[in-house]
């Protein structure tokens, strides 16, 4: 059902894809928007090695949530970064297709929000303050991958 990568000589391994998803903090989540238009937005994410899922958090309501209630099929694109010492871009990118579900369990929301927050800071007091203030208002999304592929692009 999913297409193979056209330029197979650029393909990276699943382990390299997971390393990009684990390291990077933001990706572009694309959902099926209004009237067949794709709706894509940058979002913070957390790759959970234990279940192989990608988690996103956001506020409740709006275009994204309405789109997900209509269709749970999504894709996420993670661009990766170039090496600081290189002038030309050498980018590992990953695209994941799958289905998203909304997670309502408060304990799971808090556990994943805490893990996601640690990608940005190790200030536990700050993290706890954010959880205390926003956990009840957070929409947690779990993307279960159906297909993942990645490639290395060297521009030099």
């Amino acid at each position: 059902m999913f297409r193979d990568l056209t330029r197979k000589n650029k393909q990276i391994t699943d382990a390299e894809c997971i390393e990009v998803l684990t390291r990077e903090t933001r990706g572009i989540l694309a959902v099926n928007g209004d009237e067949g238009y794709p709706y894509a937005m940058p979002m913070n994410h957390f790759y959970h090695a234990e279940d192989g899922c990608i988690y996103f958090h956001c506020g409740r309501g709006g275009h994204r949530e309405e789109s997900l209630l209509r269709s749970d099929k999504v894709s996420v694109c993670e661009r990766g970064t170039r090496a600081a010492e290189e002038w030309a871009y050498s980018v590992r990118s990953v695209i994941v297709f799958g289905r998203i579900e909304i997670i309502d369990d408060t304990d799971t929301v808090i556990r994943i929000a805490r893990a996601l927050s640690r990608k940005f800071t190790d200030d536990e007091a700050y993290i706890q303050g954010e959880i205390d203030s926003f956990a009840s208002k957070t929409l947690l999304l779990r993307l279960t991958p159906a297909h993942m592929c990645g490639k290395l692009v060297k521009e030099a």
Side-chain angles (χ1 to χ4, degrees):
M1 174 166 67
F2 296 102
R3 296 177 183 220
D4 290 332
L5 191 63
T6 303
R7 299 180 71 189
K8 292 192 185 317
N9 64 326
K10 306 282 186 198
Q11 190 165 358
I12 61 176
T13 66
D14 284 350
E16 290 173 299
C17 290
I18 289 169
E19 190 273 323
V20 170
L21 291 170
T22 301
R23 181 191 70 235
E24 296 301 320
T25 55
R26 291 174 187 84
I28 305 296
L29 177 66
V31 301
N32 293 306
D34 295 342
E35 301 199 27
Y37 284 96
Y39 178 54
M41 74 273 344
M43 292 188 67
N44 298 335
H45 65 79
F46 170 68
Y47 177 81
H48 195 274
E50 292 174 23
D51 65 10
C53 293
I54 304 167
Y55 291 85
F56 304 88
H57 74 95
C58 53
R60 295 185 176 274
H63 191 174
R64 174 184 30 240
E65 185 176 3
E66 291 170 11
S67 296
L68 290 171
L69 292 172
R70 282 193 307 270
S71 173
D72 65 346
K73 292 181 180 178
V74 301
S75 70
V76 64
C77 175
E78 179 59 68
R79 193 183 85 132
T81 56
R82 72 179 169 99
E85 68 277 0
E86 296 180 14
W87 66 269
Y89 279 87
S90 180
V91 177
R92 290 187 301 161
S93 63
V94 177
I95 297 178
V96 178
F97 295 91
R99 293 180 180 259
I100 275 196
E101 62 184 305
I102 295 171
I103 305 300
D104 291 321
D105 176 66
T106 303
D107 291 338
T108 303
V109 170
I110 291 170
R111 182 173 46 81
I112 296 298
R114 191 177 306 281
L116 175 62
S117 296
R118 287 187 181 125
K119 288 179 80 169
F120 297 94
T121 182
D122 58 2
D123 184 341
E124 293 296 328
Y126 173 81
I127 292 170
Q128 189 60 50
E130 291 292 298
I131 288 171
D132 291 344
S133 297
F134 299 108
S136 65
K137 303 170 192 165
T138 297
L139 183 67
L140 182 66
L141 308 173
R142 177 173 48 210
L143 168 57
T144 302
H147 178 74
M148 175 176 63
C149 65
K151 67 181 180 179
L152 174 65
V153 176
K154 292 185 177 188
E155 291 185 345

